[in-house]
Amino acid sequence: MKTLKFLFLEDSSTDLELIQRELKRAGVEYIPLHVQDREEYLKAIIDEKPDFIFSDYSLPNFDGLSALTIAKEQCPTTPFIFVSGTYGEEAAIQTLTRGATDYVLKDRLVKLVPALRRAIREIEEHKALRRAEQEKFEIEEQLRQSQKVEAMGFLAGAMAHEINNPIMAIIDYAQLISKGDMDIDKAQKIASKIKQEGERISVMVKDLLRFARQEKGTFEPVSVFALISRARSISEQRLKMSRIQLDLDVHTDLPSVMCKEGQILQVLLNLINNGTDALNQRYPEYDENKRMIISAKPEEIGGKSWVRITVEDFGSGIPPEIGKSIFNTFFTTKGADKGTGLGLSVSLGIVKEHGGFLSFESAPMEYTRFFLDLPAV
């Protein structure tokens, strides 16, 4: 463990000696840095980066409150302890309010070491909390990526099947051209069809890759209509293979939402995949009621503007006894080869991070509606 640097802002050599003697008596090891005015103090903070600051309250050419203000600007996490002889109750309240860690009277230096140890303990607790938060964040990111890979698996399988059709058409067209016995007009028409099929494949792949790429982690204003359109584009092939009709009901005057686009897209795709599974469960074959509706409209909640996106399906529904658990991590009613139980728990975490809400209502064998509420820009 490194030896701590203690910066002492003190104009009295006698008082400084008494303070340091008290620290020495308690067996505290440190590197002392002594300053007496503003210039020396500021230079020491910038150049030496002390671990603790001990400051007198009143000095001839400087004052403790100004020193505290500078410390909060230059090194806001460094503990700052006032050690002063002129320190009334009002001054004590004022310094603590402004961010001082503690205060000790010079005629009661026996309290100095306990104040120091409290500050050290708080630092250690703060570091432990930061580590725990970082570990939690890393676990959540792993879960999100795992769920994203799961969603991509469903989508990529359907997309690969669909991409095969335009690829076969391109091969057939190319074979016709390679024979070399067609006139220029016909060749141009076939070349145009090849271009159309190629662009169709390009859009499919780009949409999937856009979803698959790692998040940059930045919140940006995003069009809700663009989000829903992209989710429909990526899901289109799976919906088509399942013979599900998807209808959109999106208000044209929707405000944008501030979000991480890839993460909200992940939520929408998860809700669409769940709706697809519910519809396939209720209607294994084609049925005119085998449909899904995605709607979006502006809302006002608590005097603020929001956007509500609703993903509704008319599938098997969610029984009340199951509805209590659907947001729990790893909870799933699907087989081991059909899902990991991460989708809704990860989606809920994403939505909460965006300051929004994710809720649902359902009637078994009738419908399920998921409501995604996001604050508008």
Side-chain angles (χ1 to χ4, degrees):
M1 182 178 178
K2 73 166 188 174
T3 303
L4 299 175
K5 289 183 181 180
F6 288 1
L7 176 59
F8 299 93
L9 176 58
E10 176 60 67
D11 65 308
S12 169
S13 58
T14 302
D15 288 347
L16 177 64
E17 184 179 349
L18 291 173
I19 292 169
Q20 293 181 338
R21 184 185 300 170
E22 188 66 29
L23 293 171
K24 184 178 180 181
R25 182 182 295 125
V28 179
E29 295 185 2
Y30 61 94
I31 299 172
L33 305 168
H34 179 216
V35 296
Q36 300 186 59
D37 56 38
R38 185 183 187 282
E39 288 71 23
E40 292 177 342
Y41 173 75
L42 185 57
K43 186 175 187 303
I45 284 182
I46 295 173
D47 295 346
E48 301 294 341
K49 296 179 175 53
D51 299 292
F52 280 84
I53 299 173
F54 298 88
S55 174
D56 198 351
Y57 187 73
S58 299
L59 298 100
N61 301 313
F62 198 29
D63 66 277
L65 285 179
S66 297
L68 176 60
T69 301
I70 291 172
K72 288 300 156 187
E73 292 173 352
Q74 299 294 329
C75 50
T77 61
T78 302
F80 191 107
I81 298 176
F82 276 104
V83 185
S84 179
T86 55
Y87 209 77
E89 183 178 350
E90 185 178 341
I93 295 172
Q94 186 179 20
T95 54
L96 293 176
T97 302
R98 291 196 183 187
T101 307
D102 212 331
Y103 66 92
V104 176
L105 296 177
K106 288 182 178 179
D107 59 358
R108 295 180 185 177
L109 287 178
V110 67
K111 295 185 177 182
L112 179 61
V113 173
L116 172 64
R117 286 176 176 159
R118 277 197 304 273
I120 292 174
R121 187 165 58 250
E122 288 175 3
I123 290 174
E124 291 172 347
E125 290 173 353
H126 186 62
K127 286 180 179 177
L129 179 60
R130 282 208 308 266
R131 284 195 301 269
E133 289 175 346
Q134 181 62 29
E135 289 171 2
K136 179 176 178 287
F137 173 78
E138 290 172 357
I139 290 171
E140 288 176 347
E141 283 300 302
Q142 290 170 7
L143 290 175
R144 288 179 185 179
Q145 290 305 314
S146 177
Q147 197 277 322
K148 180 181 280 191
V149 170
E150 177 188 334
M152 283 179 59
F154 289 123
L155 298 165
M159 193 172 287
H161 180 274
E162 183 65 19
I163 285 175
N164 187 60
N165 294 330
I167 286 178
M168 294 306 297
I170 288 172
I171 292 172
D172 290 341
Y173 290 144
Q175 287 176 342
L176 287 174
I177 294 175
S178 67
K179 293 179 180 178
D181 57 356
M182 67 173 63
D183 60 64
I184 186 66
D185 289 339
K186 189 172 182 179
Q188 287 179 343
K189 288 180 181 179
I190 291 178
S192 177
K193 289 181 178 179
I194 290 175
K195 182 174 179 291
Q196 290 174 2
E197 297 295 345
E199 289 174 345
R200 183 179 163 199
I201 293 172
S202 176
V203 170
M204 293 181 194
V205 174
K206 282 180 180 177
D207 283 339
L208 187 62
L209 290 177
R210 186 186 183 106
F211 171 58
R213 71 185 181 187
Q214 289 281 347
E215 274 294 302
K216 292 182 179 179
T218 56
F219 284 83
E220 299 174 333
V222 178
S223 160
V224 174
F225 181 77
L227 271 171
I228 294 173
S229 298
R230 196 160 291 123
R232 178 177 64 174
S233 172
I234 297 173
S235 305
E236 187 175 7
Q237 310 315 318
R238 189 176 185 223
L239 293 169
K240 184 176 178 181
M241 289 177 65
S242 298
R243 289 180 284 186
I244 294 172
Q245 177 183 336
L246 175 61
D247 298 320
L248 299 185
D249 180 15
V250 181
H251 282 226
T252 56
D253 58 345
L254 280 176
S256 296
V257 292
M258 187 70 71
C259 70
K260 296 179 182 179
E261 180 180 352
Q263 289 188 3
I264 297 302
L265 185 58
Q266 181 175 351
V267 173
L268 289 174
L269 290 172
N270 179 63
L271 298 179
I272 293 172
N273 277 337
N274 285 351
T276 300
D277 291 338
L279 285 164
N280 284 335
Q281 183 178 350
R282 185 176 182 184
Y283 304 110
E285 303 298 332
Y286 170 77
D287 191 284
E288 63 180 7
N289 295 315
K290 196 174 184 181
R291 62 194 183 94
M292 194 181 302
I293 301 172
I294 301 179
S295 60
K297 61 179 181 178
E299 293 275 339
E300 186 169 313
I301 303 175
K304 296 182 180 180
S305 297
W306 292 68
V307 174
R308 165 164 284 191
I309 302 173
T310 304
V311 179
E312 179 179 16
D313 70 77
F314 300 92
S316 54
I318 303 172
E321 64 273 15
I322 292 178
K324 299 174 183 178
S325 305
I326 64 170
F327 290 113
N328 294 346
T329 305
F330 301 120
F331 176 83
T332 180
T333 58
K334 304 173 186 176
D337 60 335
K338 297 293 185 181
T340 60
L342 290 174
L344 287 175
S345 64
V346 167
S347 295
L348 181 62
I350 290 172
V351 175
K352 284 184 175 179
E353 183 184 319
H354 283 72
F357 304 95
L358 183 62
S359 57
F360 76 97
E361 62 182 25
S362 183
M365 302 310 292
E366 290 187 32
Y367 68 86
T368 297
R369 300 186 188 106
F370 274 92
F371 305 108
L372 169 58
D373 297 313
L374 295 170
V377 173

